[in-house]
Every structure is written in structure tokens, then in C-alpha cells.
């Protein structure tokens, strides 16, 4: 198993390199770079001019990497443009900038954010608690709800319980999480009805002054609606996956043999079926966690004014904050691959019969 883990870790290197190369090349052709936006601010034309600069850069074939050689730079002294290029690192050729970036990333130095005046790593660490809170609690609750519900639906397949819970699952699968979030705000967060929950931040402004029990209560008070929105929008797929997986295993020969030996249904279900049926469910855990942690919670963060990694990545792309874009992309990709490796290791823990090394050989 050690050899397999080592091979997977080594394969992460070319994978990360390929991701960075592709995205770096794409960025070079993206109009409206950071220098163009700074020039717009210098000219005092605001956000409207930024859109115009983007269009001008596209029309003139401008340097998407942020070189500033667009119509927006006309009328500014050349030395100002040169200073801006040096400040943002665009005074070097693209291939040289890419090699410098790779060397910095090898040392986990992701540079300084153009917009926030702090290192990318510090910025990500600062936003991480929000995304971890949303992703961890949402995924945990989704699994705690979906697995028992899916098992019961499989055991009671075709009954009234299975029918009405399937209706709930269909609704949960059809309606996006952000629509549930809006509904919860209208009902419980000062909308048209009740005002029970807050709408902004992960904790209250006076959180530092609260006792430890009150801090915990305040933390979950702020998380209640965002997490519930993600749970309602995410439990449907896992519930049906669990049900179908258990139904597939229940109809196999070894289950009939176990029943013929006199084992009760609970022993058959949790002693024999559970291990095999849970393999496919465990396989989806890393993808579910990464999806909620970094991508699925973007609209939820915006709706509930939670300043997390999803919102950070979105604003970084809009503002052309390239150090944040590449740094967060590198960290997200690395974390995703590590979680996939953890999924494989969990396979072995659940079912020791699985041997990845023998399969590769």
C-alpha cells in the first residue's frame, strides 16, 4: 500500500503542473487585466470604465495578462505604465513569469494579493474558517441524514414510506440550494414573517465578549440557515445513491445465503450488506466535500454575507487578482487530490479485500 500511496503522491506533481499551465495560458488571453483596472482608477472613471477597458482590450488585442498596452493607457506617461508593469510583475516575458511562479509555489509562496494588500496564503487562511464551517457541517449532516434514510428506503422499497420520502427527495433534487436559502430568509431571517436568525457573518460583533457556551451557541445560530440550505439542496442525490446501492446488494446470492443460515435482518443488513453497499457511497465523499467546501457554497456565501473561499475566488476572478486566482486554484486542486487519495485509503479500511497495488500490477 505504501508504494501505491507514493505513486499517487508523485502523480500529483504533473497533474498540478498541467492545471497551472492551462490556466496560465488562458489568463494570458483574458482581457482587462489588473493594470487596466488600476489605470481606470487612476483616471477616476470607476467601475463603468473598467468594463469599457475590458472591451477596449478585446477590440485592440490587448495583453490579457495585464500588460496595460490598451486604449485605457493612452494619455498616461510611459514611465507610469512601466512602473505599474514592474509593480505587478508584468515587466517580464510570460514564460519567465510562469517559471518564477512555479519556483515560488514549490516553496508554498503564493505572492501578495493585488486587491487586499496581504499574502495570498494569509488571505486564504483568513477566509478558510467560513468555508470549512459550511462544508464540514453540511457534508456531515447530509451523510447523517442521507445514509439512514437511504437504507430505510431500500428496506421498505415500494411502501408508503418510500413513496412520500421519494417525493421529498425529488423536490430537494429539483430546487437549487440558493432558492431554499432565499425561502429560509423570507420565513426566518427578517423577511415577511419571523426574525429568528441573523443574516450577516459567521459570528456576532460581540463574540469575543461572550462566554464559551454562548460563543458556541452564537456560532451555530449564524450557521443554521446557510447549512440547512446546503443540506436541503444536497441530501437528495446521496439518499438515492444509498438506496440503490443497498437494493443492489440485498438481491445478491450471499444475502440469501445469510438469511438461509438463520441470521436476522439486522445482522444481514449491517453485518453483510452494509460493507459492500457503502463502498460507492464512500467514493463520493471527497467530491461532495470539495464541491460544498469550494464551489457549492458560493451563492450561499453571497446570500448570507459570509466571506469565505467561494466568494474570495469569485471576486478574485472579477478583479483579475491573479495571485489569488492561481494560489487558490493550486491549493484547491492539491486538496482535492489528497481527498481522493484519502477516499482510496478509506476503501481499504472498509473492505480489506480491495488491493490497489495488485490491480495496478
Amino acid at each position: 500500500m505504501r508504494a501505491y500511496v507514493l505513486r499517487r503522491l508523485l502523480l500529483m506533481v504533473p497533474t498540478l503542473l498541467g492545471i497551472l499551465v492551462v490556466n496560465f495560458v488562458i489568463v494570458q488571453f483574458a482581457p482587462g487585466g489588473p493594470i487596466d483596472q488600476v489605470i481606470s482608477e487612476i483616471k477616476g472613471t470607476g467601475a463603468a470604465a473598467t468594463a469599457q477597458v475590458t472591451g477596449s482590450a478585446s477590440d485592440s488585442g490587448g495583453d490579457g495578462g495585464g500588460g496595460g498596452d490598451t486604449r485605457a493607457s493612452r494619455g498616461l506617461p510611459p514611465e507610469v505604465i512601466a512602473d505599474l508593469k514592474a509593480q505587478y510583475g508584468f515587466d517580464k516575458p510570460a514564460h519567465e513569469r510562469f517559471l518564477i511562479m512555479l519556483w515560488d509555489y514549490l516553496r508554498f509562496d503564493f505572492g501578495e494579493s493585488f486587491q487586499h494588500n496581504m499574502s495570498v496564503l494569509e488571505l486564504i487562511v483568513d477566509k478558510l474558517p467560513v468555508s470549512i464551517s459550511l462544508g464540514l457541517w453540511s457534508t456531515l449532516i447530509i451523510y447523517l441524514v442521507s445514509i439512514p434514510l437511504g437504507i430505510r428506503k431500500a428496506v421498505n422499497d415500494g411502501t408508503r414510506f418510500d413513496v412520500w420520502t421519494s417525493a421529498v427527495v425529488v423536490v430537494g433534487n429539483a430546487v437549487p440550494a440558493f432558492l431554499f436559502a432565499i425561502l429560509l430568509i423570507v420565513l426566518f431571517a427578517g423577511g415577511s414573517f419571523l426574525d429568528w436568525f441573523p443574516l450577516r457573518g459567521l459570528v456576532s460583533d460581540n463574540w469575543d465578549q461572550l462566554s464559551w457556551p454562548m460563543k458556541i451557541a452564537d456560532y451555530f445560530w449564524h450557521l443554521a440557515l446557510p447549512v440547512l440550505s446546503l443540506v436541503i439542496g444536497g441530501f437528495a442525490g446521496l439518499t438515492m445513491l444509498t438506496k440503490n446501492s443497498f437494493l443492489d446488494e440485498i438481491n445478491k446470492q450471499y444475502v440469501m445465503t445469510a438469511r438461509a443460515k438463520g441470521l436476522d435482518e439486522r445482522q444481514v443488513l449491517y453485518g453483510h450488506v452494509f460493507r459492500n453497499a457503502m463502498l460507492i457511497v464512500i467514493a463520493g465523499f471527497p467530491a461532495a466535500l470539495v464541491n460544498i467546501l469550494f464551489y457549492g457554497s458560493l451563492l450561499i456565501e453571497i446570500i448570507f454575507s459570509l466571506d469565505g473561499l467561494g466568494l474570495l475566488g469569485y471576486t478574485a476572478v472579477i478583479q483579475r487578482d491573479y495571485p489569488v486566482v492561481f494560489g487558490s486554484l493550486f491549493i484547491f486542486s492539491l486538496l482535492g487530490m489528497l481527498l481522493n487519495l484519502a477516499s482510496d485509503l478509506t476503501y481499504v479500511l472498509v473492505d480489506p479485500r480491495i488491493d490497489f497495488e495488485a490491480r495496478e500490477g
Side-chain angles (χ1 to χ4, degrees):
M1 196 62 187
R2 291 181 179 177
Y4 172 77
V5 173
L6 181 60
R7 283 196 295 271
R8 287 290 298 272
L9 292 174
L10 292 176
L11 282 173
M12 292 180 187
V13 176
T15 304
L16 286 171
L17 180 61
I19 291 172
L20 289 176
V21 168
V22 170
N23 284 274
F24 187 85
V25 171
I26 292 174
V27 162
Q28 302 313 302
F29 296 96
I35 294 181
D36 291 333
Q37 298 200 15
V38 172
I39 291 173
S40 297
E41 294 179 4
I42 291 175
K43 290 186 173 183
T45 50
T50 302
Q52 183 179 0
V53 169
T54 302
S56 299
S58 177
D59 294 339
S60 61
D63 184 1
D69 298 324
T70 65
R71 297 175 187 175
S73 63
R74 294 177 182 176
L76 292 179
E79 57 271 16
V80 173
I81 304 299
D83 289 342
L84 286 174
K85 287 185 177 181
Q87 179 181 348
Y88 287 96
F90 290 103
D91 56 335
K92 302 178 180 65
H95 69 278
E96 187 175 340
R97 285 188 276 119
F98 181 73
L99 293 176
I100 292 174
M101 183 181 71
L102 286 183
W103 172 244
D104 290 337
Y105 280 21
L106 288 174
R107 299 174 294 155
F108 282 86
D109 178 8
F110 302 106
E112 298 285 328
S113 168
F114 294 158
Q115 301 292 331
H116 299 276
N117 295 320
M118 59 189 301
S119 73
V120 173
L121 196 56
E122 290 178 353
L123 190 60
I124 292 176
V125 170
D126 182 59
K127 311 295 183 184
L128 201 56
V130 172
S131 294
I132 288 181
S133 296
L134 287 176
L136 188 61
W137 291 115
S138 300
T139 306
L140 180 62
I141 295 174
I142 286 173
Y143 269 73
L144 289 176
V145 171
S146 299
I147 292 176
L149 180 59
I151 294 174
R152 187 173 178 186
K153 284 175 65 63
V155 174
N156 298 279
D157 184 41
T159 64
R160 182 176 298 178
F161 173 82
D162 182 43
V163 172
W164 73 260
T165 52
S166 294
V168 175
V169 168
V170 168
V171 172
N173 190 52
V175 182
F178 74 90
L179 287 182
F180 279 114
I182 295 173
L183 177 62
L184 291 174
I185 290 174
V186 172
L187 294 177
F188 302 112
S192 302
F193 296 93
L194 303 173
D195 190 9
W196 288 354
F197 295 94
L199 262 180
R200 182 175 297 277
L202 191 61
V203 294
S204 299
D205 294 335
N206 63 337
W207 192 78
D208 292 332
Q209 303 171 7
L210 300 176
S211 61
W212 275 109
M214 291 301 297
K215 284 183 177 180
I216 295 174
D218 182 77
Y219 169 73
F220 285 108
W221 182 46
H222 282 76
L223 274 180
L225 295 187
V227 169
L228 182 58
S229 303
L230 291 171
V231 169
I232 294 175
F235 86 101
L238 184 60
T239 298
M240 296 308 298
L241 177 65
T242 304
K243 176 191 174 181
N244 294 333
S245 180
F246 271 79
L247 279 178
D248 185 55
E249 293 295 325
I250 287 173
N251 295 322
K252 289 185 177 178
Q253 184 65 42
Y254 75 90
V255 176
M256 300 178 185
T257 303
R259 286 170 176 163
K261 290 181 178 179
L263 297 179
D264 60 41
E265 284 299 312
R266 187 176 184 84
Q267 289 176 315
V268 171
L269 189 62
Y270 292 101
H272 294 77
V273 176
F274 185 82
R275 173 176 290 181
N276 295 321
M278 285 301 294
L279 286 175
I280 191 171
V281 177
I282 291 173
F285 180 80
L289 180 59
V290 171
N291 181 62
I292 293 178
L293 192 62
F294 300 126
Y295 311 113
S297 62
L298 170 60
L299 291 177
I300 302 300
E301 289 180 10
I302 294 174
I303 291 172
F304 289 98
S305 300
L306 296 171
D307 194 7
L309 292 177
L311 187 58
L312 173 67
Y314 173 76
T315 55
V317 172
I318 296 300
Q319 297 172 346
R320 301 298 193 269
D321 196 346
Y322 293 147
V324 175
V325 172
F326 286 116
S328 58
L329 175 69
F330 180 87
I331 293 175
F332 296 169
S333 301
L334 178 61
L335 184 57
M337 287 186 286
L338 289 175
L339 286 174
N340 281 323
L341 176 59
S343 175
D344 289 348
L345 298 179
T346 308
Y347 264 128
V348 178
L349 292 176
V350 174
D351 190 350
R353 296 172 298 175
I354 295 178
D355 188 351
F356 288 106
E357 291 187 14
R359 294 191 177 196
E360 288 192 350

